[in-house]
Amino acid sequence: MTVKDGQLDKTDDIIPLRGWQSGTQPAQVAFDRKELQTILGFYGSKVAEGEWRDYAMDFSRDRAVFSVFRRASELPLYRIIKDPGLARRQGMYSVIAQGGLVLKRGHDLPAVLRVLARTPRLSSV
């Protein structure tokens, strides 16, 4: 925006806008609402069972991470990662254990989270 003779020249944009172009990535990768509902619903059930107590979310340029803690002062028990760079290869979602072991990767978030669900066991009376 320039000033000429005490008047504002309105031919310049006040705020330059960038349009979405194919092939460009957003500034930050994040979980969308449906993914967060899935993750937080599963997290809530584990909190109700007393297994998990805290969580953290990290968003970066190339991936989003949901970390699960047993206590707030520990290293994360599990990390649920969304990496769009792997969407056409192994799947965009992965669950990684505390030691760095990849437990499961896939294209469907609920299927990937099933690796953390305990299977019900038969008990004798």
Side-chain angles (χ1 to χ4, degrees):
M1 188 177 313
T2 58
V3 178
K4 292 182 185 177
D5 302 323
Q7 298 281 340
L8 292 176
D9 183 16
K10 295 182 181 179
T11 59
D12 296 333
D13 289 336
I14 295 172
I15 300 172
L17 299 175
R18 289 184 300 171
W20 285 96
Q21 301 167 356
S22 62
T24 62
Q25 292 182 343
Q28 215 176 34
V29 176
F31 295 106
D32 64 16
R33 182 180 296 254
K34 184 178 177 186
E35 293 165 340
L36 275 177
Q37 283 179 341
T38 303
I39 293 171
L40 289 173
F42 186 74
Y43 172 79
S45 66
K46 290 294 192 175
V47 168
E49 293 172 7
E51 291 186 38
W52 296 349
R53 294 190 182 220
D54 200 9
Y55 71 91
M57 289 190 283
D58 302 313
F59 304 108
S60 68
R61 188 172 204 79
D62 58 341
R63 64 184 180 168
V65 180
F66 186 93
S67 303
V68 176
F69 298 89
R70 184 167 300 171
R71 291 183 200 90
S73 62
E74 292 182 347
L75 293 172
L77 287 174
Y78 301 105
R79 291 178 290 146
I80 302 162
I81 298 176
K82 175 184 179 180
D83 189 350
L86 298 175
R88 294 192 176 171
R89 295 185 195 121
Q90 302 159 342
M92 156 164 53
Y93 304 106
S94 58
V95 174
I96 299 178
Q98 188 172 15
L101 177 68
V102 178
L103 298 177
K104 184 147 182 149
R105 282 196 175 141
H107 300 281
D108 185 35
L109 181 60
V112 171
L113 290 178
R114 271 188 229 124
V115 74
L116 299 176
R118 288 189 178 169
T119 56
R121 296 181 181 166
L122 295 175
S123 62
S124 60
V125 178

